[in-house]
Amino acid sequence: MELLPRFIRARDAHGYCGMCRAVFNQVLRPYLTEIPIGTQGLAFDRLEMDAALEQYKSRNGRPSQPKGVRVWDERRRQASSNEGV
């Protein structure tokens, strides 16, 4: 059994979250507490990142659909008002 560290260095945090660095910095980092490590190191709490990811998922996630099934939030096109004229 492998144990995960509680603090994850800033350089590795985006990879832990499965995001590119730019997306991590934009959507998740503002909600995380920065933890200084030594004189130059910076880390984030893994449990806090997990909670922030859950919040992100609840705001932005949607159920997956089997192939060929219409997506639940896909917009329907309005019929033309000139139809039948």
Side-chain angles (χ1 to χ4, degrees):
M1 179 172 80
E2 183 180 341
L3 296 176
L4 293 174
R6 176 71 186 262
F7 295 150
I8 297 181
R9 298 244 179 204
R11 69 173 179 255
D12 301 323
H14 71 281
Y16 172 80
C17 296
M19 301 175 164
C20 72
R21 189 179 310 269
V23 172
F24 172 82
N25 287 336
Q26 181 182 5
V27 301
L28 216 58
R29 190 172 181 160
Y31 302 102
L32 300 175
T33 304
E34 294 182 347
I35 303 162
I37 298 179
T39 56
Q40 293 183 342
L42 189 65
F44 299 103
D45 185 324
R46 178 179 47 85
L47 301 179
E48 193 174 73
M49 286 196 308
D50 289 344
L53 285 166
E54 285 297 320
Q55 287 293 320
Y56 179 78
K57 183 178 87 171
S58 70
R59 289 190 312 267
N60 299 295
R62 58 181 157 182
S64 61
Q65 297 291 324
K67 192 171 185 172
V69 175
R70 192 176 172 153
V71 178
W72 64 273
D73 66 346
E74 184 177 315
R75 292 187 178 146
R76 294 183 181 175
R77 295 184 182 187
Q78 188 175 18
S80 172
S81 60
N82 294 331
E83 191 172 302
V85 174

